[in-house]
Amino acid sequence: MAGTKQATTAGSEPEFACPVSPVVDIVFSRWTTPVLWALHTYGRQRFVELERRIGTITPKVLTQRLRQLERDGLVVRTYHPEVPPRVEYEISELGRSLAPLFAHLTEWGAANLSRVEEARRAYDADPARR
């Protein structure tokens, strides 16, 4: 009977069908990788420093992303009660544990992105696809 329940659950919940899906949702949602990369590369930063490093992110979106990353345990927010108040963000140990994953993806990109571009050009040039 337990096997039946698991089969039913597996069919209705995507994370059971693909165990990578929840990880992708957490780590690769828009703006997560640039925020984690900046914190990993440059260390503890204030909001404005992080915003400048990322460049094209709006303050509202950066605030939302930082809150989500803090909630997920990937970023640590430190409030300093001084005048004026100071808030700093840094990548957590859990966030740092993603470094090998990002390193592998970087290696894959270096080895394969040119092949992806080549495949795209071939696909786009195929008259049967128009």
Side-chain angles (χ1 to χ4, degrees), residues 22-29 31-33 35-40 50 65-77 89-99 101-102:
V23 177
V24 170
D25 289 344
I26 293 166
V27 177
F28 297 108
S29 58
W31 299 113
T32 295
T33 49
V35 169
L36 291 176
W37 179 84
L39 291 173
H40 180 74
L50 197 51
R65 183 57 35 208
L66 286 167
R67 284 182 183 154
Q68 186 61 51
L69 290 169
E70 183 182 9
R71 181 174 182 255
D72 291 340
L74 301 176
V75 167
V76 175
R77 178 184 183 269
Y89 298 90
E90 62 186 309
I91 194 165
S92 69
E93 282 299 317
L94 182 59
R96 272 193 279 285
S97 72
L98 292 167
L101 172 64
F102 291 133

Side-chain angles (χ1 to χ4, degrees), residues 28-88:
F28 297 108
S29 58
R30 183 84 167 124
W31 299 113
T32 295
T33 49
V35 169
L36 291 176
W37 179 84
L39 291 173
H40 180 74
T41 303
Y42 299 103
R44 182 181 299 138
Q45 297 172 63
R46 295 178 75 170
F47 184 90
V48 174
E49 295 170 308
L50 197 51
E51 184 180 24
R52 281 188 200 127
R53 288 204 196 281
I54 296 172
T56 56
I57 193 169
T58 66
K60 178 183 176 185
V61 171
L62 180 56
T63 298
Q64 291 170 340
R65 183 57 35 208
L66 286 167
R67 284 182 183 154
Q68 186 61 51
L69 290 169
E70 183 182 9
R71 181 174 182 255
D72 291 340
L74 301 176
V75 167
V76 175
R77 178 184 183 269
T78 304
Y79 174 79
H80 301 278
E82 50 194 42
V83 178
R86 182 168 48 101
V87 177
E88 296 177 317

